[in-house]
Amino acid sequence: REVVEELGPDAVLATSFTVTAARSLIAMGLPLPSHQVGTLHSMAYRAVGNFLDVATEPKVLRDWNSRVGHEWELTPDARRGKPDTADLGAAGGGNGGDELLTAYDLARSQFIALADMPHGVRQFAAAWDAWKRETEAVDFTDMILIALEHALDGEAAPGAPKVLIADEAQDMTPLEIALVLAWGRRAQRTIFALDDDQA
C-alpha cells in the first residue's frame, strides 16, 4: 500500500506462484489494478506475446496426441506447468508423455542442458520442440524462457513497473527466479516475498 501511495498503482507489478494466490492478493483490496497482479506465467505470457497458442491447452494438445504413439500422449490439462514438484529421474525411461514432459520442464527450469537429460527425455524433447515450432505453440516453461531472453535483452516486465513484487518466492524454480531478477534490473526495487516456514 505504501509503495502504491508513493509511486501510483501502475508502478507496481505483483506476481504470485499460483492463480489462487493471485486471486487472494486481488481480493485483499490492494490499491492495484487487476492487470498489475497475476501469476508469473501470466506476466511472462503478456511479455512474450499472448497471441501464441499454449501447447498444453486441450484444443492444441489434440494435434500432438493425434501424431504420437500412446506412450507419448499427454493428458489435456491447461494448468500443467509445475516442474518444482517433479522428479527428473522418475521419467527417464519413457513412462508416458505426462512424465516425460514433467521431467523436461523440470530440467529446463533448473538450467540442465539437454545433453545431460536422460535419453528418454531427450527423445521426447526433440519431438515436442519440433511440434511446437511447427504449430507455433509454447508450453509453460517456454513462456518463462522466452520472457527471460527478452528481459536479458533489456525488456522490462509488462507495464515497465518501478517496483516488482514476487510473492510465494519459496516455491519458485531457478528459471523463475532468474526472470524476476532480470526484470528487476529494469525496476527501482525488486521484492521477494516468501514464507520461511515453507522454504
Side-chain angles (χ1 to χ4, degrees), residues 60-135:
V60 181
L61 199 54
R62 272 194 290 273
D63 181 67
W64 165 264
N65 284 340
S66 72
R67 297 183 190 206
V68 299
H70 179 70
E71 70 278 4
W72 280 5
E73 283 184 4
L74 293 166
T75 306
D77 183 356
R79 295 169 300 147
R80 183 190 307 279
K82 293 189 179 292
D84 60 298
T85 62
D87 176 8
L88 178 60
N95 296 325
D98 293 323
E99 291 82 7
L100 288 165
L101 181 56
T102 299
Y104 185 41
D105 284 340
L106 174 64
R108 291 187 294 165
S109 74
Q110 295 178 339
F111 297 105
I112 295 172
L114 184 63
D116 294 329
M117 296 179 199
H119 177 69
V121 176
R122 289 197 313 270
Q123 287 184 308
F124 174 88
W128 178 246
D129 288 342
W131 172 77
K132 287 185 299 177
R133 282 190 299 274
E134 180 184 336
T135 58

Side-chain angles (χ1 to χ4, degrees), residues 40-49 52-56 60 80-83 101 104-109 111 117 124-151 173 175-176 179 183:
L40 185 62
H41 279 89
S42 70
M43 297 303 170
Y45 191 52
R46 280 174 50 191
V48 304
L52 297 167
D53 283 330
V54 179
T56 52
V60 181
R80 183 190 307 279
K82 293 189 179 292
L101 181 56
Y104 185 41
D105 284 340
L106 174 64
R108 291 187 294 165
S109 74
F111 297 105
M117 296 179 199
F124 174 88
W128 178 246
D129 288 342
W131 172 77
K132 287 185 299 177
R133 282 190 299 274
E134 180 184 336
T135 58
E136 297 183 339
V138 295
D139 60 29
F140 282 95
T141 304
D142 291 331
M143 292 178 200
I144 304 295
L145 282 165
I146 297 168
L148 177 59
E149 287 176 17
H150 291 195
T173 67
L175 175 61
E176 292 164 340
L179 174 58
W183 277 345

